[in-house]
Amino acid sequence: MTPVTAAERSDAARNRERLLLAARDLIEQGGAAALTMDRLAEHAGVGKGTVFRRFGSRAGLMLTLLNDSEAAFQARFLFGPPPLGPGALPMDRLIAFGTERIAYVVEYGDLVLAAGNASRGRFEVPAVALWNQHVEMLLRAGGVESREPGLLAGSLTATLDPERLLHLIREHGVTSERLAASWSELVTRVAGSA
Amino acid sequence: MTPVTAAERSDAARNRERLLLAARDLIEQGGAAALTMDRLAEHAGVGKGTVFRRFGSRAGLMLTLLNDSEAAFQARFLFGPPPLGPGALPMDRLIAFGTERIAYVVEYGDLVLAAGNASRGRFEVPAVALWNQHVEMLLRAGGVESREPGLLAGSLTATLDPERLLHLIREHGVTSERLAASWSELVTRVAGSA
DNA sequence: AATATAAACGGACCGCGGTCCGTTTAGTCT
DNA sequence: AGACTAAACGGACCGCGGTCCGTTTATATT
């Protein structure tokens, strides 16, 4: 059966598998910094051109590497159990969202950072737009009325910027708990006033 | 008269002058992107090593280029006339701070962006710490009591992140006025609740 | 004026992310 | 089986920021 959209060639599929395997391997050994595109190509026994054909850029590769966990995170705040998912009060969901996001950034640290250096800035990543919408929706549902709900939501998500969070954690010894508490306070204050 | 700390050698001073001149020249012609370290060295008639000896890194050069205007900005919010400087109500000063910061980022766009890629992230820049303190001070003075005033202030300044602001302006056509209004709303909300 | 020395100099060199284009190959059509 | 073609391949090549180290030079000292 001939598919409507051209199917992936078998050698391409095999190489993609090899590359992802090699990438995880390199990261496991020496962290995200050890993953250079040249080394990846060599380690996977593949030409450098192939690496870029597959993933477009280093950031694209990181995004692919994160894809599974990102999808899982999205599924949790969109469809998962409360307080993160539907069912809880909007403000509780918002607080949970920040808390979980902080945990996520802590867990995947360097990968998230490396994924952020996309070609056209770290705001083009589709996931970012989704978070903004989600936060905006929760704000509305929580009774927060603003003339610029999108910008207000953006201000809140800016607080969760991975680079900022990791900087505070690594260079200033701030704990995830304090960050989560601060997020909670911020959200509460924003929602609290008329 | 021999100075206590070794004076700058005359050739060094002359070369620094040449380099700054050449740098502004290149930027004027082709924007910040046209300023590569190799071209700068060539344009200034100086070895590449000299460029790095002088400024440490590209970000360091950008910081030097911005030094004057940064200092002027700092002077204005520390000692200048109200509502930005002392004399106005703390919350009005805070709103003015964001508004002026947005205008600053718009004016110096690419330079600010390039200066942000410092060696150890864009949070090491001394000016950032100063803004945080300033915002924190204004929050306190405005009667905002928090268990983590530093983190709360940091969340607010994160909203003013140049990359975010410029992205919204350039890619989404958001005006400075809307950004300033959103900042004002955010600050008001944060200050408004008990 | 000659000497000493610390500072400044310059450019070859490195590894990086990313591009280009001639070559190879998997899948299809006869 | 053989021919055709679009896709995938691979590695030389590029410009970048940044480093290293042998050479030059401004300045203080005598």
PDB file of all heavy atoms in Angstrom, chain C residues 9-20:
ATOM      1  P    DC C   9      47.749  46.581  23.140  1.00  0.00           P
ATOM      2  OP1  DC C   9      47.541  47.885  22.478  1.00  0.00           O
ATOM      3  OP2  DC C   9      46.619  45.862  23.756  1.00  0.00           O
ATOM      4  O5'  DC C   9      48.464  45.619  22.116  1.00  0.00           O
ATOM      5  C5'  DC C   9      49.745  45.996  21.587  1.00  0.00           C
ATOM      6  C4'  DC C   9      50.298  44.882  20.744  1.00  0.00           C
ATOM      7  O4'  DC C   9      50.681  43.782  21.585  1.00  0.00           O
ATOM      8  C3'  DC C   9      49.326  44.315  19.721  1.00  0.00           C
ATOM      9  O3'  DC C   9      49.747  44.690  18.432  1.00  0.00           O
ATOM     10  C2'  DC C   9      49.358  42.798  19.941  1.00  0.00           C
ATOM     11  C1'  DC C   9      50.580  42.604  20.822  1.00  0.00           C
ATOM     12  N1   DC C   9      50.478  41.495  21.803  1.00  0.00           N
ATOM     13  C2   DC C   9      51.273  40.345  21.653  1.00  0.00           C
ATOM     14  O2   DC C   9      52.034  40.273  20.687  1.00  0.00           O
ATOM     15  N3   DC C   9      51.189  39.345  22.569  1.00  0.00           N
ATOM     16  C4   DC C   9      50.363  39.470  23.608  1.00  0.00           C
ATOM     17  N4   DC C   9      50.327  38.475  24.487  1.00  0.00           N
ATOM     18  C5   DC C   9      49.558  40.638  23.794  1.00  0.00           C
ATOM     19  C6   DC C   9      49.646  41.617  22.868  1.00  0.00           C
ATOM     20  P    DG C  10      48.689  44.639  17.252  1.00  0.00           P
ATOM     21  OP1  DG C  10      49.142  45.643  16.259  1.00  0.00           O
ATOM     22  OP2  DG C  10      47.328  44.714  17.804  1.00  0.00           O
ATOM     23  O5'  DG C  10      48.916  43.193  16.638  1.00  0.00           O
ATOM     24  C5'  DG C  10      50.202  42.850  16.158  1.00  0.00           C
ATOM     25  C4'  DG C  10      50.208  41.407  15.703  1.00  0.00           C
ATOM     26  O4'  DG C  10      50.196  40.526  16.864  1.00  0.00           O
ATOM     27  C3'  DG C  10      48.991  41.002  14.872  1.00  0.00           C
ATOM     28  O3'  DG C  10      49.425  40.085  13.896  1.00  0.00           O
ATOM     29  C2'  DG C  10      48.093  40.310  15.891  1.00  0.00           C
ATOM     30  C1'  DG C  10      49.120  39.614  16.753  1.00  0.00           C
ATOM     31  N9   DG C  10      48.679  39.311  18.115  1.00  0.00           N
ATOM     32  C8   DG C  10      47.772  40.009  18.874  1.00  0.00           C
ATOM     33  N7   DG C  10      47.587  39.507  20.069  1.00  0.00           N
ATOM     34  C5   DG C  10      48.412  38.400  20.093  1.00  0.00           C
ATOM     35  C6   DG C  10      48.654  37.452  21.124  1.00  0.00           C
ATOM     36  O6   DG C  10      48.141  37.423  22.255  1.00  0.00           O
ATOM     37  N1   DG C  10      49.583  36.489  20.741  1.00  0.00           N
ATOM     38  C2   DG C  10      50.204  36.437  19.516  1.00  0.00           C
ATOM     39  N2   DG C  10      51.062  35.432  19.336  1.00  0.00           N
ATOM     40  N3   DG C  10      49.992  37.323  18.542  1.00  0.00           N
ATOM     41  C4   DG C  10      49.095  38.267  18.901  1.00  0.00           C
ATOM     42  P    DG C  11      48.954  40.160  12.416  1.00  0.00           P
ATOM     43  OP1  DG C  11      49.992  40.918  11.671  1.00  0.00           O
ATOM     44  OP2  DG C  11      47.544  40.611  12.398  1.00  0.00           O
ATOM     45  O5'  DG C  11      49.022  38.650  11.922  1.00  0.00           O
ATOM     46  C5'  DG C  11      50.071  37.803  12.381  1.00  0.00           C
ATOM     47  C4'  DG C  11      49.513  36.464  12.809  1.00  0.00           C
ATOM     48  O4'  DG C  11      49.076  36.504  14.187  1.00  0.00           O
ATOM     49  C3'  DG C  11      48.283  36.005  12.001  1.00  0.00           C
ATOM     50  O3'  DG C  11      48.368  34.606  11.834  1.00  0.00           O
ATOM     51  C2'  DG C  11      47.138  36.345  12.965  1.00  0.00           C
ATOM     52  C1'  DG C  11      47.810  35.898  14.248  1.00  0.00           C
ATOM     53  N9   DG C  11      47.137  36.273  15.478  1.00  0.00           N
ATOM     54  C8   DG C  11      46.248  37.300  15.681  1.00  0.00           C
ATOM     55  N7   DG C  11      45.798  37.366  16.911  1.00  0.00           N
ATOM     56  C5   DG C  11      46.445  36.327  17.555  1.00  0.00           C
ATOM     57  C6   DG C  11      46.365  35.895  18.905  1.00  0.00           C
ATOM     58  O6   DG C  11      45.694  36.377  19.833  1.00  0.00           O
ATOM     59  N1   DG C  11      47.172  34.795  19.153  1.00  0.00           N
ATOM     60  C2   DG C  11      47.954  34.181  18.213  1.00  0.00           C
ATOM     61  N2   DG C  11      48.658  33.142  18.613  1.00  0.00           N
ATOM     62  N3   DG C  11      48.042  34.576  16.946  1.00  0.00           N
ATOM     63  C4   DG C  11      47.262  35.649  16.683  1.00  0.00           C
ATOM     64  P    DA C  12      48.483  33.958  10.400  1.00  0.00           P
ATOM     65  OP1  DA C  12      49.591  34.673   9.736  1.00  0.00           O
ATOM     66  OP2  DA C  12      47.144  33.897   9.773  1.00  0.00           O
ATOM     67  O5'  DA C  12      48.945  32.469  10.744  1.00  0.00           O
ATOM     68  C5'  DA C  12      50.107  32.259  11.522  1.00  0.00           C
ATOM     69  C4'  DA C  12      49.884  31.145  12.549  1.00  0.00           C
ATOM     70  O4'  DA C  12      49.116  31.664  13.675  1.00  0.00           O
ATOM     71  C3'  DA C  12      49.101  29.935  12.023  1.00  0.00           C
ATOM     72  O3'  DA C  12      49.669  28.771  12.611  1.00  0.00           O
ATOM     73  C2'  DA C  12      47.683  30.201  12.524  1.00  0.00           C
ATOM     74  C1'  DA C  12      47.950  30.868  13.866  1.00  0.00           C
ATOM     75  N9   DA C  12      46.897  31.772  14.334  1.00  0.00           N
ATOM     76  C8   DA C  12      46.272  32.751  13.601  1.00  0.00           C
ATOM     77  N7   DA C  12      45.382  33.436  14.282  1.00  0.00           N
ATOM     78  C5   DA C  12      45.427  32.867  15.550  1.00  0.00           C
ATOM     79  C6   DA C  12      44.724  33.136  16.744  1.00  0.00           C
ATOM     80  N6   DA C  12      43.806  34.105  16.850  1.00  0.00           N
ATOM     81  N1   DA C  12      44.998  32.372  17.825  1.00  0.00           N
ATOM     82  C2   DA C  12      45.920  31.403  17.708  1.00  0.00           C
ATOM     83  N3   DA C  12      46.660  31.068  16.650  1.00  0.00           N
ATOM     84  C4   DA C  12      46.350  31.840  15.593  1.00  0.00           C
ATOM     85  P    DC C  13      49.131  27.286  12.202  1.00  0.00           P
ATOM     86  OP1  DC C  13      50.297  26.391  12.379  1.00  0.00           O
ATOM     87  OP2  DC C  13      48.416  27.374  10.907  1.00  0.00           O
ATOM     88  O5'  DC C  13      48.051  26.924  13.314  1.00  0.00           O
ATOM     89  C5'  DC C  13      48.440  26.913  14.702  1.00  0.00           C
ATOM     90  C4'  DC C  13      47.211  26.728  15.568  1.00  0.00           C
ATOM     91  O4'  DC C  13      46.488  27.972  15.645  1.00  0.00           O
ATOM     92  C3'  DC C  13      46.210  25.679  15.060  1.00  0.00           C
ATOM     93  O3'  DC C  13      46.223  24.559  15.938  1.00  0.00           O
ATOM     94  C2'  DC C  13      44.869  26.394  15.062  1.00  0.00           C
ATOM     95  C1'  DC C  13      45.128  27.667  15.859  1.00  0.00           C
ATOM     96  N1   DC C  13      44.320  28.835  15.412  1.00  0.00           N
ATOM     97  C2   DC C  13      43.479  29.477  16.321  1.00  0.00           C
ATOM     98  O2   DC C  13      43.433  29.067  17.488  1.00  0.00           O
ATOM     99  N3   DC C  13      42.727  30.519  15.908  1.00  0.00           N
ATOM    100  C4   DC C  13      42.801  30.923  14.645  1.00  0.00           C
ATOM    101  N4   DC C  13      42.043  31.972  14.278  1.00  0.00           N
ATOM    102  C5   DC C  13      43.646  30.288  13.694  1.00  0.00           C
ATOM    103  C6   DC C  13      44.381  29.251  14.112  1.00  0.00           C
ATOM    104  P    DC C  14      45.357  23.241  15.567  1.00  0.00           P
ATOM    105  OP1  DC C  14      46.093  22.061  16.061  1.00  0.00           O
ATOM    106  OP2  DC C  14      44.919  23.311  14.155  1.00  0.00           O
ATOM    107  O5'  DC C  14      44.072  23.451  16.478  1.00  0.00           O
ATOM    108  C5'  DC C  14      44.221  23.694  17.896  1.00  0.00           C
ATOM    109  C4'  DC C  14      42.844  23.875  18.518  1.00  0.00           C
ATOM    110  O4'  DC C  14      42.367  25.211  18.244  1.00  0.00           O
ATOM    111  C3'  DC C  14      41.810  22.910  17.951  1.00  0.00           C
ATOM    112  O3'  DC C  14      41.315  22.069  18.979  1.00  0.00           O
ATOM    113  C2'  DC C  14      40.702  23.790  17.380  1.00  0.00           C
ATOM    114  C1'  DC C  14      40.987  25.173  17.961  1.00  0.00           C
ATOM    115  N1   DC C  14      40.679  26.252  16.996  1.00  0.00           N
ATOM    116  C2   DC C  14      39.727  27.210  17.324  1.00  0.00           C
ATOM    117  O2   DC C  14      39.157  27.148  18.419  1.00  0.00           O
ATOM    118  N3   DC C  14      39.446  28.186  16.431  1.00  0.00           N
ATOM    119  C4   DC C  14      40.080  28.213  15.253  1.00  0.00           C
ATOM    120  N4   DC C  14      39.782  29.189  14.397  1.00  0.00           N
ATOM    121  C5   DC C  14      41.050  27.239  14.908  1.00  0.00           C
ATOM    122  C6   DC C  14      41.324  26.280  15.795  1.00  0.00           C
ATOM    123  P    DG C  15      40.603  20.687  18.605  1.00  0.00           P
ATOM    124  OP1  DG C  15      41.147  19.660  19.496  1.00  0.00           O
ATOM    125  OP2  DG C  15      40.629  20.514  17.133  1.00  0.00           O
ATOM    126  O5'  DG C  15      39.087  20.978  19.000  1.00  0.00           O
ATOM    127  C5'  DG C  15      38.756  21.592  20.241  1.00  0.00           C
ATOM    128  C4'  DG C  15      37.345  22.117  20.158  1.00  0.00           C
ATOM    129  O4'  DG C  15      37.337  23.307  19.337  1.00  0.00           O
ATOM    130  C3'  DG C  15      36.346  21.144  19.513  1.00  0.00           C
ATOM    131  O3'  DG C  15      35.193  21.063  20.338  1.00  0.00           O
ATOM    132  C2'  DG C  15      36.083  21.718  18.131  1.00  0.00           C
ATOM    133  C1'  DG C  15      36.321  23.213  18.355  1.00  0.00           C
ATOM    134  N9   DG C  15      36.780  23.934  17.164  1.00  0.00           N
ATOM    135  C8   DG C  15      37.707  23.521  16.239  1.00  0.00           C
ATOM    136  N7   DG C  15      37.905  24.392  15.275  1.00  0.00           N
ATOM    137  C5   DG C  15      37.058  25.439  15.578  1.00  0.00           C
ATOM    138  C6   DG C  15      36.831  26.667  14.899  1.00  0.00           C
ATOM    139  O6   DG C  15      37.349  27.087  13.861  1.00  0.00           O
ATOM    140  N1   DG C  15      35.875  27.446  15.553  1.00  0.00           N
ATOM    141  C2   DG C  15      35.228  27.091  16.699  1.00  0.00           C
ATOM    142  N2   DG C  15      34.332  27.968  17.178  1.00  0.00           N
ATOM    143  N3   DG C  15      35.438  25.945  17.358  1.00  0.00           N
ATOM    144  C4   DG C  15      36.356  25.179  16.742  1.00  0.00           C
ATOM    145  P    DC C  16      33.958  20.186  19.973  1.00  0.00           P
ATOM    146  OP1  DC C  16      33.432  19.640  21.235  1.00  0.00           O
ATOM    147  OP2  DC C  16      34.307  19.297  18.852  1.00  0.00           O
ATOM    148  O5'  DC C  16      32.916  21.271  19.439  1.00  0.00           O
ATOM    149  C5'  DC C  16      32.507  22.309  20.325  1.00  0.00           C
ATOM    150  C4'  DC C  16      31.757  23.366  19.554  1.00  0.00           C
ATOM    151  O4'  DC C  16      32.670  24.020  18.645  1.00  0.00           O
ATOM    152  C3'  DC C  16      30.672  22.814  18.641  1.00  0.00           C
ATOM    153  O3'  DC C  16      29.462  22.707  19.357  1.00  0.00           O
ATOM    154  C2'  DC C  16      30.569  23.903  17.558  1.00  0.00           C
ATOM    155  C1'  DC C  16      31.920  24.600  17.596  1.00  0.00           C
ATOM    156  N1   DC C  16      32.717  24.470  16.338  1.00  0.00           N
ATOM    157  C2   DC C  16      32.594  25.431  15.339  1.00  0.00           C
ATOM    158  O2   DC C  16      31.803  26.361  15.513  1.00  0.00           O
ATOM    159  N3   DC C  16      33.320  25.302  14.214  1.00  0.00           N
ATOM    160  C4   DC C  16      34.157  24.264  14.073  1.00  0.00           C
ATOM    161  N4   DC C  16      34.876  24.182  12.946  1.00  0.00           N
ATOM    162  C5   DC C  16      34.289  23.268  15.081  1.00  0.00           C
ATOM    163  C6   DC C  16      33.553  23.410  16.193  1.00  0.00           C
ATOM    164  P    DG C  17      28.252  21.913  18.740  1.00  0.00           P
ATOM    165  OP1  DG C  17      27.275  21.671  19.821  1.00  0.00           O
ATOM    166  OP2  DG C  17      28.777  20.788  17.947  1.00  0.00           O
ATOM    167  O5'  DG C  17      27.670  22.994  17.738  1.00  0.00           O
ATOM    168  C5'  DG C  17      27.048  24.154  18.252  1.00  0.00           C
ATOM    169  C4'  DG C  17      26.541  24.997  17.106  1.00  0.00           C
ATOM    170  O4'  DG C  17      27.617  25.245  16.180  1.00  0.00           O
ATOM    171  C3'  DG C  17      25.434  24.340  16.293  1.00  0.00           C
ATOM    172  O3'  DG C  17      24.508  25.350  15.913  1.00  0.00           O
ATOM    173  C2'  DG C  17      26.180  23.742  15.104  1.00  0.00           C
ATOM    174  C1'  DG C  17      27.295  24.763  14.891  1.00  0.00           C
ATOM    175  N9   DG C  17      28.508  24.183  14.309  1.00  0.00           N
ATOM    176  C8   DG C  17      29.139  23.047  14.736  1.00  0.00           C
ATOM    177  N7   DG C  17      30.201  22.759  14.026  1.00  0.00           N
ATOM    178  C5   DG C  17      30.275  23.760  13.078  1.00  0.00           C
ATOM    179  C6   DG C  17      31.212  23.971  12.028  1.00  0.00           C
ATOM    180  O6   DG C  17      32.196  23.283  11.733  1.00  0.00           O
ATOM    181  N1   DG C  17      30.920  25.104  11.281  1.00  0.00           N
ATOM    182  C2   DG C  17      29.853  25.935  11.529  1.00  0.00           C
ATOM    183  N2   DG C  17      29.721  26.985  10.712  1.00  0.00           N
ATOM    184  N3   DG C  17      28.971  25.752  12.512  1.00  0.00           N
ATOM    185  C4   DG C  17      29.232  24.644  13.239  1.00  0.00           C
ATOM    186  P    DG C  18      23.160  24.886  15.077  1.00  0.00           P
ATOM    187  OP1  DG C  18      22.136  25.923  15.309  1.00  0.00           O
ATOM    188  OP2  DG C  18      22.858  23.468  15.357  1.00  0.00           O
ATOM    189  O5'  DG C  18      23.635  25.033  13.568  1.00  0.00           O
ATOM    190  C5'  DG C  18      24.066  26.321  13.103  1.00  0.00           C
ATOM    191  C4'  DG C  18      24.512  26.221  11.668  1.00  0.00           C
ATOM    192  O4'  DG C  18      25.805  25.580  11.602  1.00  0.00           O
ATOM    193  C3'  DG C  18      23.591  25.434  10.734  1.00  0.00           C
ATOM    194  O3'  DG C  18      23.183  26.296   9.685  1.00  0.00           O
ATOM    195  C2'  DG C  18      24.446  24.275  10.249  1.00  0.00           C
ATOM    196  C1'  DG C  18      25.863  24.849  10.399  1.00  0.00           C
ATOM    197  N9   DG C  18      26.897  23.828  10.503  1.00  0.00           N
ATOM    198  C8   DG C  18      26.995  22.830  11.448  1.00  0.00           C
ATOM    199  N7   DG C  18      28.034  22.058  11.272  1.00  0.00           N
ATOM    200  C5   DG C  18      28.658  22.577  10.140  1.00  0.00           C
ATOM    201  C6   DG C  18      29.830  22.158   9.463  1.00  0.00           C
ATOM    202  O6   DG C  18      30.582  21.206   9.729  1.00  0.00           O
ATOM    203  N1   DG C  18      30.107  22.956   8.362  1.00  0.00           N
ATOM    204  C2   DG C  18      29.350  24.021   7.960  1.00  0.00           C
ATOM    205  N2   DG C  18      29.783  24.667   6.864  1.00  0.00           N
ATOM    206  N3   DG C  18      28.256  24.433   8.583  1.00  0.00           N
ATOM    207  C4   DG C  18      27.962  23.666   9.655  1.00  0.00           C
ATOM    208  P    DT C  19      22.283  25.795   8.459  1.00  0.00           P
ATOM    209  OP1  DT C  19      21.360  26.898   8.168  1.00  0.00           O
ATOM    210  OP2  DT C  19      21.781  24.430   8.727  1.00  0.00           O
ATOM    211  O5'  DT C  19      23.315  25.704   7.238  1.00  0.00           O
ATOM    212  C5'  DT C  19      24.190  26.800   7.003  1.00  0.00           C
ATOM    213  C4'  DT C  19      25.006  26.544   5.748  1.00  0.00           C
ATOM    214  O4'  DT C  19      26.025  25.534   6.005  1.00  0.00           O
ATOM    215  C3'  DT C  19      24.211  26.043   4.542  1.00  0.00           C
ATOM    216  O3'  DT C  19      24.728  26.725   3.403  1.00  0.00           O
ATOM    217  C2'  DT C  19      24.529  24.538   4.513  1.00  0.00           C
ATOM    218  C1'  DT C  19      25.969  24.529   4.999  1.00  0.00           C
ATOM    219  N1   DT C  19      26.453  23.274   5.640  1.00  0.00           N
ATOM    220  C2   DT C  19      27.611  22.700   5.195  1.00  0.00           C
ATOM    221  O2   DT C  19      28.270  23.152   4.281  1.00  0.00           O
ATOM    222  N3   DT C  19      27.995  21.564   5.868  1.00  0.00           N
ATOM    223  C4   DT C  19      27.335  20.960   6.920  1.00  0.00           C
ATOM    224  O4   DT C  19      27.776  19.937   7.449  1.00  0.00           O
ATOM    225  C5   DT C  19      26.120  21.612   7.331  1.00  0.00           C
ATOM    226  C7   DT C  19      25.331  21.032   8.456  1.00  0.00           C
ATOM    227  C6   DT C  19      25.745  22.725   6.689  1.00  0.00           C
ATOM    228  P    DC C  20      23.883  26.685   1.980  1.00  0.00           P
ATOM    229  OP1  DC C  20      23.571  28.071   1.649  1.00  0.00           O
ATOM    230  OP2  DC C  20      22.795  25.666   2.053  1.00  0.00           O
ATOM    231  O5'  DC C  20      25.004  26.151   0.983  1.00  0.00           O
ATOM    232  C5'  DC C  20      26.220  25.657   1.524  1.00  0.00           C
ATOM    233  C4'  DC C  20      27.014  24.966   0.452  1.00  0.00           C
ATOM    234  O4'  DC C  20      27.507  23.713   0.998  1.00  0.00           O
ATOM    235  C3'  DC C  20      26.231  24.583  -0.800  1.00  0.00           C
ATOM    236  O3'  DC C  20      27.104  24.669  -1.902  1.00  0.00           O
ATOM    237  C2'  DC C  20      25.749  23.166  -0.492  1.00  0.00           C
ATOM    238  C1'  DC C  20      26.871  22.609   0.391  1.00  0.00           C
ATOM    239  N1   DC C  20      26.397  21.701   1.480  1.00  0.00           N
ATOM    240  C2   DC C  20      27.208  20.638   1.899  1.00  0.00           C
ATOM    241  O2   DC C  20      28.294  20.466   1.338  1.00  0.00           O
ATOM    242  N3   DC C  20      26.777  19.842   2.903  1.00  0.00           N
ATOM    243  C4   DC C  20      25.602  20.073   3.488  1.00  0.00           C
ATOM    244  N4   DC C  20      25.219  19.260   4.475  1.00  0.00           N
ATOM    245  C5   DC C  20      24.761  21.152   3.078  1.00  0.00           C
ATOM    246  C6   DC C  20      25.193  21.942   2.082  1.00  0.00           C
TER     247       DC C  20
END
